[in-house]
Amino acid sequence: MTRRALVTTLLVVVVVALFAIPLLVDGGVSEYGGTDAAVTEELEADGYTPWFDSVFAPAGEVESGLFALQAALGAGVLGYVLGRLRGRRGATAPDAVAETDRR
Amino acid sequence: MHIAEGFLPAGHALGWTLAAAPFVAHGARAVVKEVRENPEATLLLGAAGAFTFVLSAIKLPSVTGSSSHPTGTGPGAILFRPPVMALLGTVVLLFQALLLAHGGLTTLGANAFAFAVVGPWAGYGAYRLTRAAGAGLLPAVFTGVALADLATYVTTSLQLALAFPDASTGLAGALAKFLGVFAVTQIPLAIGEGLLGVLLFRVLTVNARPELERLGVLQPAAVPATTGGAA
């Protein structure tokens, strides 16, 4: 494995571990409620009533689908751009690609 | 960091909207200018927008037993300067307010100020300071991206504390309370986001070197080689 690939792999492992380890250590005790919702619940408990409602509020499963759609759009565009940039480099200087990847 | 629809008193909602509006308008002009003068930058601009789109959609668990989401505004601020992110970030917030009932129209100004103005500026400032101190590109990217995330949540806490000061401890007590909810949960997320930013820039330094040189992120070098620092 090249040094570059090793560093990339390590970075990915650290990012995954950063979120996986708290979950494993917790062992299903916490509910992992959103911080945004925690604040609104607290304010409502203190007697605050929101004065305006969302114009459109999707129900549970639809909401998670729309969140997935947002992530998919972002990941799709990001992947397209990075793919095009890499392809461009390969098209202009095929040797350069092979050289950097080997390093 | 999304203050929910209707959860800011009308005066605060209006005030934050007026505060954020000039930044967003200036950001819109900055985006148009960037695309017109540097059409080849459009691809990277798309990547910057896509990065914040995907990251702000993902709720991640934290050590505190709650979950929150990263912001993804740092890389765009570093590449294109913060004004561009004022527009792109607000587009993300508008998408979430209209389709996901996450955030809201009355709180769009306050949320945009935290997410699309303060976050990108804090991240960009931290990036520039780190580089000025002699650090390489990647350590500076990590610092900038992580701080853009954290600063957004600190701003949200401050906005809530201003609107809802504690009856006995006042503004400071309320700020401590909201920071307790947001900031602590956010620390591991900000670190993770900083590392993702490093991963992104590692790819860009190899594949988008001409753009990074033109944007002033990298110095033109005779040898297209390593970028130093954490690499």
Side-chain angles (χ1 to χ4, degrees), chain B residues 28-68:
Chain B
R29 272 209 303 276
V31 170
V32 171
K33 186 162 168 269
E34 189 70 44
V35 172
R36 190 174 294 156
E37 291 179 5
N38 306 299
E40 77 281 2
T42 315
L43 263 186
L44 271 191
L45 202 59
F51 192 78
T52 178
F53 222 66
V54 59
L55 281 198
S56 64
I58 298 172
K59 291 169 193 161
L60 292 163
S62 180
V63 284
T64 52
S66 7
S67 60
S68 189

PDB file of all heavy atoms in Angstrom, chain B residues 28-68:
ATOM      1  N   ALA B  28     -24.723  36.471  -3.307  1.00  0.00           N
ATOM      2  CA  ALA B  28     -25.293  36.154  -4.621  1.00  0.00           C
ATOM      3  C   ALA B  28     -24.481  36.842  -5.710  1.00  0.00           C
ATOM      4  O   ALA B  28     -24.163  36.241  -6.745  1.00  0.00           O
ATOM      5  CB  ALA B  28     -26.755  36.596  -4.672  1.00  0.00           C
ATOM      6  N   ARG B  29     -24.102  38.098  -5.453  1.00  0.00           N
ATOM      7  CA  ARG B  29     -23.280  38.806  -6.443  1.00  0.00           C
ATOM      8  C   ARG B  29     -21.918  38.142  -6.588  1.00  0.00           C
ATOM      9  O   ARG B  29     -21.378  38.024  -7.687  1.00  0.00           O
ATOM     10  CB  ARG B  29     -23.107  40.274  -6.014  1.00  0.00           C
ATOM     11  CG  ARG B  29     -24.223  41.176  -6.516  1.00  0.00           C
ATOM     12  CD  ARG B  29     -23.731  42.610  -6.720  1.00  0.00           C
ATOM     13  NE  ARG B  29     -23.158  43.182  -5.501  1.00  0.00           N
ATOM     14  CZ  ARG B  29     -23.873  43.755  -4.548  1.00  0.00           C
ATOM     15  NH1 ARG B  29     -25.175  43.855  -4.689  1.00  0.00           N
ATOM     16  NH2 ARG B  29     -23.292  44.243  -3.476  1.00  0.00           N
ATOM     17  N   ALA B  30     -21.369  37.681  -5.445  1.00  0.00           N
ATOM     18  CA  ALA B  30     -20.052  37.035  -5.481  1.00  0.00           C
ATOM     19  C   ALA B  30     -20.091  35.748  -6.307  1.00  0.00           C
ATOM     20  O   ALA B  30     -19.164  35.458  -7.066  1.00  0.00           O
ATOM     21  CB  ALA B  30     -19.574  36.727  -4.055  1.00  0.00           C
ATOM     22  N   VAL B  31     -21.194  34.997  -6.185  1.00  0.00           N
ATOM     23  CA  VAL B  31     -21.320  33.750  -6.947  1.00  0.00           C
ATOM     24  C   VAL B  31     -21.418  34.061  -8.440  1.00  0.00           C
ATOM     25  O   VAL B  31     -20.722  33.460  -9.266  1.00  0.00           O
ATOM     26  CB  VAL B  31     -22.557  32.944  -6.487  1.00  0.00           C
ATOM     27  CG1 VAL B  31     -22.816  31.775  -7.434  1.00  0.00           C
ATOM     28  CG2 VAL B  31     -22.354  32.432  -5.069  1.00  0.00           C
ATOM     29  N   VAL B  32     -22.262  35.042  -8.805  1.00  0.00           N
ATOM     30  CA  VAL B  32     -22.427  35.403 -10.215  1.00  0.00           C
ATOM     31  C   VAL B  32     -21.095  35.863 -10.802  1.00  0.00           C
ATOM     32  O   VAL B  32     -20.700  35.462 -11.904  1.00  0.00           O
ATOM     33  CB  VAL B  32     -23.499  36.510 -10.367  1.00  0.00           C
ATOM     34  CG1 VAL B  32     -23.522  37.053 -11.791  1.00  0.00           C
ATOM     35  CG2 VAL B  32     -24.872  35.967  -9.980  1.00  0.00           C
ATOM     36  N   LYS B  33     -20.374  36.685 -10.031  1.00  0.00           N
ATOM     37  CA  LYS B  33     -19.089  37.206 -10.486  1.00  0.00           C
ATOM     38  C   LYS B  33     -18.089  36.061 -10.704  1.00  0.00           C
ATOM     39  O   LYS B  33     -17.396  36.014 -11.722  1.00  0.00           O
ATOM     40  CB  LYS B  33     -18.561  38.183  -9.422  1.00  0.00           C
ATOM     41  CG  LYS B  33     -17.301  38.920  -9.793  1.00  0.00           C
ATOM     42  CD  LYS B  33     -17.124  40.152  -8.892  1.00  0.00           C
ATOM     43  CE  LYS B  33     -15.746  40.757  -9.037  1.00  0.00           C
ATOM     44  NZ  LYS B  33     -14.753  40.228  -8.091  1.00  0.00           N
ATOM     45  N   GLU B  34     -18.054  35.150  -9.737  1.00  0.00           N
ATOM     46  CA  GLU B  34     -17.119  34.018  -9.821  1.00  0.00           C
ATOM     47  C   GLU B  34     -17.391  33.190 -11.081  1.00  0.00           C
ATOM     48  O   GLU B  34     -16.472  32.827 -11.813  1.00  0.00           O
ATOM     49  CB  GLU B  34     -17.274  33.149  -8.564  1.00  0.00           C
ATOM     50  CG  GLU B  34     -16.230  32.063  -8.399  1.00  0.00           C
ATOM     51  CD  GLU B  34     -14.845  32.608  -8.075  1.00  0.00           C
ATOM     52  OE1 GLU B  34     -14.759  33.515  -7.235  1.00  0.00           O
ATOM     53  OE2 GLU B  34     -13.878  32.122  -8.684  1.00  0.00           O
ATOM     54  N   VAL B  35     -18.669  32.905 -11.323  1.00  0.00           N
ATOM     55  CA  VAL B  35     -19.032  32.062 -12.472  1.00  0.00           C
ATOM     56  C   VAL B  35     -18.746  32.795 -13.781  1.00  0.00           C
ATOM     57  O   VAL B  35     -18.260  32.201 -14.750  1.00  0.00           O
ATOM     58  CB  VAL B  35     -20.519  31.656 -12.389  1.00  0.00           C
ATOM     59  CG1 VAL B  35     -20.956  30.950 -13.667  1.00  0.00           C
ATOM     60  CG2 VAL B  35     -20.745  30.755 -11.181  1.00  0.00           C
ATOM     61  N   ARG B  36     -19.019  34.113 -13.797  1.00  0.00           N
ATOM     62  CA  ARG B  36     -18.820  34.870 -15.029  1.00  0.00           C
ATOM     63  C   ARG B  36     -17.341  35.041 -15.351  1.00  0.00           C
ATOM     64  O   ARG B  36     -16.906  34.860 -16.480  1.00  0.00           O
ATOM     65  CB  ARG B  36     -19.498  36.244 -14.899  1.00  0.00           C
ATOM     66  CG  ARG B  36     -19.554  37.008 -16.218  1.00  0.00           C
ATOM     67  CD  ARG B  36     -20.351  38.286 -16.063  1.00  0.00           C
ATOM     68  NE  ARG B  36     -21.761  38.030 -15.788  1.00  0.00           N
ATOM     69  CZ  ARG B  36     -22.571  38.895 -15.170  1.00  0.00           C
ATOM     70  NH1 ARG B  36     -22.096  40.041 -14.721  1.00  0.00           N
ATOM     71  NH2 ARG B  36     -23.847  38.607 -14.985  1.00  0.00           N
ATOM     72  N   GLU B  37     -16.538  35.380 -14.315  1.00  0.00           N
ATOM     73  CA  GLU B  37     -15.122  35.660 -14.568  1.00  0.00           C
ATOM     74  C   GLU B  37     -14.267  34.408 -14.661  1.00  0.00           C
ATOM     75  O   GLU B  37     -13.251  34.395 -15.348  1.00  0.00           O
ATOM     76  CB  GLU B  37     -14.580  36.581 -13.463  1.00  0.00           C
ATOM     77  CG  GLU B  37     -15.163  37.979 -13.548  1.00  0.00           C
ATOM     78  CD  GLU B  37     -14.647  38.885 -12.440  1.00  0.00           C
ATOM     79  OE1 GLU B  37     -13.776  38.448 -11.667  1.00  0.00           O
ATOM     80  OE2 GLU B  37     -15.135  40.016 -12.353  1.00  0.00           O
ATOM     81  N   ASN B  38     -14.696  33.368 -13.957  1.00  0.00           N
ATOM     82  CA  ASN B  38     -13.902  32.131 -13.958  1.00  0.00           C
ATOM     83  C   ASN B  38     -14.810  30.937 -14.201  1.00  0.00           C
ATOM     84  O   ASN B  38     -15.093  30.172 -13.280  1.00  0.00           O
ATOM     85  CB  ASN B  38     -13.179  31.958 -12.627  1.00  0.00           C
ATOM     86  CG  ASN B  38     -12.343  33.168 -12.274  1.00  0.00           C
ATOM     87  OD1 ASN B  38     -11.424  33.521 -12.999  1.00  0.00           O
ATOM     88  ND2 ASN B  38     -12.699  33.825 -11.178  1.00  0.00           N
ATOM     89  N   PRO B  39     -15.282  30.783 -15.442  1.00  0.00           N
ATOM     90  CA  PRO B  39     -16.225  29.696 -15.715  1.00  0.00           C
ATOM     91  C   PRO B  39     -15.649  28.329 -15.330  1.00  0.00           C
ATOM     92  O   PRO B  39     -16.389  27.429 -14.966  1.00  0.00           O
ATOM     93  CB  PRO B  39     -16.456  29.778 -17.230  1.00  0.00           C
ATOM     94  CG  PRO B  39     -15.821  31.023 -17.690  1.00  0.00           C
ATOM     95  CD  PRO B  39     -14.909  31.536 -16.637  1.00  0.00           C
ATOM     96  N   GLU B  40     -14.312  28.217 -15.388  1.00  0.00           N
ATOM     97  CA  GLU B  40     -13.712  26.917 -15.065  1.00  0.00           C
ATOM     98  C   GLU B  40     -13.825  26.606 -13.572  1.00  0.00           C
ATOM     99  O   GLU B  40     -13.624  25.465 -13.158  1.00  0.00           O
ATOM    100  CB  GLU B  40     -12.248  26.870 -15.533  1.00  0.00           C
ATOM    101  CG  GLU B  40     -11.251  27.612 -14.662  1.00  0.00           C
ATOM    102  CD  GLU B  40     -11.253  29.127 -14.884  1.00  0.00           C
ATOM    103  OE1 GLU B  40     -12.078  29.602 -15.700  1.00  0.00           O
ATOM    104  OE2 GLU B  40     -10.458  29.826 -14.239  1.00  0.00           O
ATOM    105  N   ALA B  41     -14.176  27.622 -12.775  1.00  0.00           N
ATOM    106  CA  ALA B  41     -14.320  27.385 -11.336  1.00  0.00           C
ATOM    107  C   ALA B  41     -15.688  26.816 -10.983  1.00  0.00           C
ATOM    108  O   ALA B  41     -15.924  26.415  -9.847  1.00  0.00           O
ATOM    109  CB  ALA B  41     -14.091  28.679 -10.563  1.00  0.00           C
ATOM    110  N   THR B  42     -16.595  26.785 -11.978  1.00  0.00           N
ATOM    111  CA  THR B  42     -17.965  26.350 -11.700  1.00  0.00           C
ATOM    112  C   THR B  42     -18.003  24.939 -11.123  1.00  0.00           C
ATOM    113  O   THR B  42     -18.805  24.650 -10.234  1.00  0.00           O
ATOM    114  CB  THR B  42     -18.810  26.408 -12.986  1.00  0.00           C
ATOM    115  OG1 THR B  42     -18.541  27.646 -13.632  1.00  0.00           O
ATOM    116  CG2 THR B  42     -20.282  26.311 -12.677  1.00  0.00           C
ATOM    117  N   LEU B  43     -17.138  24.063 -11.626  1.00  0.00           N
ATOM    118  CA  LEU B  43     -17.110  22.688 -11.126  1.00  0.00           C
ATOM    119  C   LEU B  43     -16.814  22.666  -9.627  1.00  0.00           C
ATOM    120  O   LEU B  43     -17.515  22.015  -8.853  1.00  0.00           O
ATOM    121  CB  LEU B  43     -16.022  21.895 -11.852  1.00  0.00           C
ATOM    122  CG  LEU B  43     -16.406  21.023 -13.051  1.00  0.00           C
ATOM    123  CD1 LEU B  43     -15.190  20.237 -13.499  1.00  0.00           C
ATOM    124  CD2 LEU B  43     -17.540  20.075 -12.693  1.00  0.00           C
ATOM    125  N   LEU B  44     -15.767  23.403  -9.229  1.00  0.00           N
ATOM    126  CA  LEU B  44     -15.392  23.417  -7.812  1.00  0.00           C
ATOM    127  C   LEU B  44     -16.462  24.094  -6.963  1.00  0.00           C
ATOM    128  O   LEU B  44     -16.709  23.702  -5.827  1.00  0.00           O
ATOM    129  CB  LEU B  44     -14.067  24.151  -7.617  1.00  0.00           C
ATOM    130  CG  LEU B  44     -12.788  23.329  -7.717  1.00  0.00           C
ATOM    131  CD1 LEU B  44     -11.612  24.152  -7.239  1.00  0.00           C
ATOM    132  CD2 LEU B  44     -12.912  22.064  -6.888  1.00  0.00           C
ATOM    133  N   LEU B  45     -17.107  25.107  -7.551  1.00  0.00           N
ATOM    134  CA  LEU B  45     -18.195  25.783  -6.844  1.00  0.00           C
ATOM    135  C   LEU B  45     -19.313  24.777  -6.565  1.00  0.00           C
ATOM    136  O   LEU B  45     -19.891  24.745  -5.472  1.00  0.00           O
ATOM    137  CB  LEU B  45     -18.706  26.938  -7.711  1.00  0.00           C
ATOM    138  CG  LEU B  45     -19.453  28.074  -7.043  1.00  0.00           C
ATOM    139  CD1 LEU B  45     -18.601  28.740  -5.983  1.00  0.00           C
ATOM    140  CD2 LEU B  45     -19.880  29.094  -8.081  1.00  0.00           C
ATOM    141  N   GLY B  46     -19.587  23.935  -7.560  1.00  0.00           N
ATOM    142  CA  GLY B  46     -20.581  22.868  -7.387  1.00  0.00           C
ATOM    143  C   GLY B  46     -20.160  21.913  -6.284  1.00  0.00           C
ATOM    144  O   GLY B  46     -20.985  21.489  -5.465  1.00  0.00           O
ATOM    145  N   ALA B  47     -18.865  21.604  -6.228  1.00  0.00           N
ATOM    146  CA  ALA B  47     -18.376  20.697  -5.186  1.00  0.00           C
ATOM    147  C   ALA B  47     -18.550  21.310  -3.808  1.00  0.00           C
ATOM    148  O   ALA B  47     -18.952  20.633  -2.856  1.00  0.00           O
ATOM    149  CB  ALA B  47     -16.909  20.362  -5.431  1.00  0.00           C
ATOM    150  N   ALA B  48     -18.278  22.629  -3.693  1.00  0.00           N
ATOM    151  CA  ALA B  48     -18.415  23.311  -2.404  1.00  0.00           C
ATOM    152  C   ALA B  48     -19.873  23.300  -1.946  1.00  0.00           C
ATOM    153  O   ALA B  48     -20.165  23.030  -0.775  1.00  0.00           O
ATOM    154  CB  ALA B  48     -17.906  24.742  -2.509  1.00  0.00           C
ATOM    155  N   GLY B  49     -20.793  23.582  -2.875  1.00  0.00           N
ATOM    156  CA  GLY B  49     -22.211  23.549  -2.536  1.00  0.00           C
ATOM    157  C   GLY B  49     -22.661  22.143  -2.184  1.00  0.00           C
ATOM    158  O   GLY B  49     -23.407  21.932  -1.223  1.00  0.00           O
ATOM    159  N   ALA B  50     -22.182  21.159  -2.936  1.00  0.00           N
ATOM    160  CA  ALA B  50     -22.576  19.766  -2.706  1.00  0.00           C
ATOM    161  C   ALA B  50     -22.087  19.284  -1.352  1.00  0.00           C
ATOM    162  O   ALA B  50     -22.777  18.545  -0.654  1.00  0.00           O
ATOM    163  CB  ALA B  50     -22.023  18.879  -3.821  1.00  0.00           C
ATOM    164  N   PHE B  51     -20.884  19.740  -0.955  1.00  0.00           N
ATOM    165  CA  PHE B  51     -20.311  19.314   0.330  1.00  0.00           C
ATOM    166  C   PHE B  51     -21.204  19.757   1.487  1.00  0.00           C
ATOM    167  O   PHE B  51     -21.511  18.975   2.388  1.00  0.00           O
ATOM    168  CB  PHE B  51     -18.900  19.897   0.479  1.00  0.00           C
ATOM    169  CG  PHE B  51     -18.105  19.303   1.608  1.00  0.00           C
ATOM    170  CD1 PHE B  51     -17.507  18.066   1.479  1.00  0.00           C
ATOM    171  CD2 PHE B  51     -17.949  19.995   2.801  1.00  0.00           C
ATOM    172  CE1 PHE B  51     -16.772  17.509   2.518  1.00  0.00           C
ATOM    173  CE2 PHE B  51     -17.206  19.444   3.841  1.00  0.00           C
ATOM    174  CZ  PHE B  51     -16.617  18.211   3.707  1.00  0.00           C
ATOM    175  N   THR B  52     -21.659  21.005   1.463  1.00  0.00           N
ATOM    176  CA  THR B  52     -22.529  21.473   2.551  1.00  0.00           C
ATOM    177  C   THR B  52     -23.915  20.834   2.454  1.00  0.00           C
ATOM    178  O   THR B  52     -24.559  20.549   3.458  1.00  0.00           O
ATOM    179  CB  THR B  52     -22.591  23.020   2.598  1.00  0.00           C
ATOM    180  OG1 THR B  52     -23.468  23.418   3.632  1.00  0.00           O
ATOM    181  CG2 THR B  52     -23.058  23.613   1.315  1.00  0.00           C
ATOM    182  N   PHE B  53     -24.353  20.542   1.225  1.00  0.00           N
ATOM    183  CA  PHE B  53     -25.654  19.888   1.040  1.00  0.00           C
ATOM    184  C   PHE B  53     -25.667  18.511   1.697  1.00  0.00           C
ATOM    185  O   PHE B  53     -26.586  18.176   2.447  1.00  0.00           O
ATOM    186  CB  PHE B  53     -25.940  19.750  -0.465  1.00  0.00           C
ATOM    187  CG  PHE B  53     -27.357  20.064  -0.840  1.00  0.00           C
ATOM    188  CD1 PHE B  53     -27.858  21.345  -0.705  1.00  0.00           C
ATOM    189  CD2 PHE B  53     -28.195  19.078  -1.341  1.00  0.00           C
ATOM    190  CE1 PHE B  53     -29.165  21.637  -1.045  1.00  0.00           C
ATOM    191  CE2 PHE B  53     -29.499  19.358  -1.686  1.00  0.00           C
ATOM    192  CZ  PHE B  53     -29.989  20.640  -1.535  1.00  0.00           C
ATOM    193  N   VAL B  54     -24.637  17.725   1.417  1.00  0.00           N
ATOM    194  CA  VAL B  54     -24.645  16.357   1.941  1.00  0.00           C
ATOM    195  C   VAL B  54     -24.368  16.354   3.446  1.00  0.00           C
ATOM    196  O   VAL B  54     -25.047  15.650   4.206  1.00  0.00           O
ATOM    197  CB  VAL B  54     -23.671  15.438   1.165  1.00  0.00           C
ATOM    198  CG1 VAL B  54     -22.247  15.923   1.216  1.00  0.00           C
ATOM    199  CG2 VAL B  54     -23.729  14.021   1.681  1.00  0.00           C
ATOM    200  N   LEU B  55     -23.411  17.161   3.919  1.00  0.00           N
ATOM    201  CA  LEU B  55     -23.061  17.098   5.339  1.00  0.00           C
ATOM    202  C   LEU B  55     -24.183  17.598   6.237  1.00  0.00           C
ATOM    203  O   LEU B  55     -24.416  17.060   7.310  1.00  0.00           O
ATOM    204  CB  LEU B  55     -21.774  17.885   5.613  1.00  0.00           C
ATOM    205  CG  LEU B  55     -20.482  17.164   5.237  1.00  0.00           C
ATOM    206  CD1 LEU B  55     -19.297  17.798   5.931  1.00  0.00           C
ATOM    207  CD2 LEU B  55     -20.542  15.697   5.574  1.00  0.00           C
ATOM    208  N   SER B  56     -24.913  18.639   5.792  1.00  0.00           N
ATOM    209  CA  SER B  56     -25.960  19.168   6.664  1.00  0.00           C
ATOM    210  C   SER B  56     -27.198  18.280   6.660  1.00  0.00           C
ATOM    211  O   SER B  56     -28.137  18.515   7.404  1.00  0.00           O
ATOM    212  CB  SER B  56     -26.315  20.604   6.256  1.00  0.00           C
ATOM    213  OG  SER B  56     -26.863  20.604   4.961  1.00  0.00           O
ATOM    214  N   ALA B  57     -27.210  17.236   5.827  1.00  0.00           N
ATOM    215  CA  ALA B  57     -28.352  16.322   5.807  1.00  0.00           C
ATOM    216  C   ALA B  57     -28.146  15.155   6.761  1.00  0.00           C
ATOM    217  O   ALA B  57     -29.083  14.409   7.041  1.00  0.00           O
ATOM    218  CB  ALA B  57     -28.574  15.792   4.391  1.00  0.00           C
ATOM    219  N   ILE B  58     -26.907  14.981   7.232  1.00  0.00           N
ATOM    220  CA  ILE B  58     -26.584  13.770   7.983  1.00  0.00           C
ATOM    221  C   ILE B  58     -26.506  14.062   9.473  1.00  0.00           C
ATOM    222  O   ILE B  58     -25.711  14.882   9.920  1.00  0.00           O
ATOM    223  CB  ILE B  58     -25.254  13.180   7.482  1.00  0.00           C
ATOM    224  CG1 ILE B  58     -25.404  12.790   6.018  1.00  0.00           C
ATOM    225  CG2 ILE B  58     -24.866  11.975   8.312  1.00  0.00           C
ATOM    226  CD1 ILE B  58     -24.116  12.379   5.364  1.00  0.00           C
ATOM    227  N   LYS B  59     -27.378  13.396  10.243  1.00  0.00           N
ATOM    228  CA  LYS B  59     -27.312  13.551  11.696  1.00  0.00           C
ATOM    229  C   LYS B  59     -26.409  12.476  12.256  1.00  0.00           C
ATOM    230  O   LYS B  59     -26.558  11.299  11.954  1.00  0.00           O
ATOM    231  CB  LYS B  59     -28.722  13.440  12.282  1.00  0.00           C
ATOM    232  CG  LYS B  59     -29.593  14.629  11.906  1.00  0.00           C
ATOM    233  CD  LYS B  59     -31.032  14.380  12.267  1.00  0.00           C
ATOM    234  CE  LYS B  59     -31.936  15.410  11.618  1.00  0.00           C
ATOM    235  NZ  LYS B  59     -33.327  14.951  11.566  1.00  0.00           N
ATOM    236  N   LEU B  60     -25.450  12.918  13.063  1.00  0.00           N
ATOM    237  CA  LEU B  60     -24.449  11.993  13.581  1.00  0.00           C
ATOM    238  C   LEU B  60     -24.539  11.894  15.096  1.00  0.00           C
ATOM    239  O   LEU B  60     -24.845  12.878  15.776  1.00  0.00           O
ATOM    240  CB  LEU B  60     -23.054  12.484  13.182  1.00  0.00           C
ATOM    241  CG  LEU B  60     -22.746  12.422  11.680  1.00  0.00           C
ATOM    242  CD1 LEU B  60     -21.544  13.286  11.360  1.00  0.00           C
ATOM    243  CD2 LEU B  60     -22.512  10.985  11.252  1.00  0.00           C
ATOM    244  N   PRO B  61     -24.270  10.714  15.640  1.00  0.00           N
ATOM    245  CA  PRO B  61     -24.293  10.556  17.096  1.00  0.00           C
ATOM    246  C   PRO B  61     -23.045  11.169  17.723  1.00  0.00           C
ATOM    247  O   PRO B  61     -21.991  11.218  17.100  1.00  0.00           O
ATOM    248  CB  PRO B  61     -24.284   9.034  17.277  1.00  0.00           C
ATOM    249  CG  PRO B  61     -23.587   8.521  16.067  1.00  0.00           C
ATOM    250  CD  PRO B  61     -23.935   9.464  14.945  1.00  0.00           C
ATOM    251  N   SER B  62     -23.200  11.654  18.946  1.00  0.00           N
ATOM    252  CA  SER B  62     -22.054  12.245  19.641  1.00  0.00           C
ATOM    253  C   SER B  62     -21.891  11.606  21.013  1.00  0.00           C
ATOM    254  O   SER B  62     -22.770  10.879  21.484  1.00  0.00           O
ATOM    255  CB  SER B  62     -22.257  13.752  19.768  1.00  0.00           C
ATOM    256  OG  SER B  62     -21.173  14.329  20.440  1.00  0.00           O
ATOM    257  N   VAL B  63     -20.766  11.907  21.646  1.00  0.00           N
ATOM    258  CA  VAL B  63     -20.477  11.327  22.963  1.00  0.00           C
ATOM    259  C   VAL B  63     -21.493  11.724  24.028  1.00  0.00           C
ATOM    260  O   VAL B  63     -21.597  11.072  25.053  1.00  0.00           O
ATOM    261  CB  VAL B  63     -19.072  11.740  23.454  1.00  0.00           C
ATOM    262  CG1 VAL B  63     -18.007  10.955  22.729  1.00  0.00           C
ATOM    263  CG2 VAL B  63     -18.845  13.220  23.270  1.00  0.00           C
ATOM    264  N   THR B  64     -22.246  12.795  23.800  1.00  0.00           N
ATOM    265  CA  THR B  64     -23.179  13.269  24.820  1.00  0.00           C
ATOM    266  C   THR B  64     -24.483  12.470  24.822  1.00  0.00           C
ATOM    267  O   THR B  64     -25.355  12.721  25.640  1.00  0.00           O
ATOM    268  CB  THR B  64     -23.539  14.737  24.566  1.00  0.00           C
ATOM    269  OG1 THR B  64     -23.979  14.860  23.207  1.00  0.00           O
ATOM    270  CG2 THR B  64     -22.349  15.646  24.787  1.00  0.00           C
ATOM    271  N   GLY B  65     -24.649  11.546  23.872  1.00  0.00           N
ATOM    272  CA  GLY B  65     -25.896  10.785  23.805  1.00  0.00           C
ATOM    273  C   GLY B  65     -26.965  11.512  23.021  1.00  0.00           C
ATOM    274  O   GLY B  65     -28.117  11.081  22.975  1.00  0.00           O
ATOM    275  N   SER B  66     -26.622  12.632  22.399  1.00  0.00           N
ATOM    276  CA  SER B  66     -27.556  13.255  21.465  1.00  0.00           C
ATOM    277  C   SER B  66     -26.909  13.239  20.088  1.00  0.00           C
ATOM    278  O   SER B  66     -25.743  12.877  19.942  1.00  0.00           O
ATOM    279  CB  SER B  66     -27.923  14.684  21.850  1.00  0.00           C
ATOM    280  OG  SER B  66     -27.168  15.138  22.911  1.00  0.00           O
ATOM    281  N   SER B  67     -27.677  13.636  19.091  1.00  0.00           N
ATOM    282  CA  SER B  67     -27.102  13.676  17.754  1.00  0.00           C
ATOM    283  C   SER B  67     -27.284  15.065  17.178  1.00  0.00           C
ATOM    284  O   SER B  67     -28.138  15.829  17.612  1.00  0.00           O
ATOM    285  CB  SER B  67     -27.749  12.630  16.842  1.00  0.00           C
ATOM    286  OG  SER B  67     -29.122  12.861  16.734  1.00  0.00           O
ATOM    287  N   SER B  68     -26.451  15.372  16.210  1.00  0.00           N
ATOM    288  CA  SER B  68     -26.476  16.682  15.586  1.00  0.00           C
ATOM    289  C   SER B  68     -25.889  16.517  14.195  1.00  0.00           C
ATOM    290  O   SER B  68     -25.448  15.428  13.829  1.00  0.00           O
ATOM    291  CB  SER B  68     -25.670  17.659  16.436  1.00  0.00           C
ATOM    292  OG  SER B  68     -25.841  18.972  15.963  1.00  0.00           O
TER     293      SER B  68
END
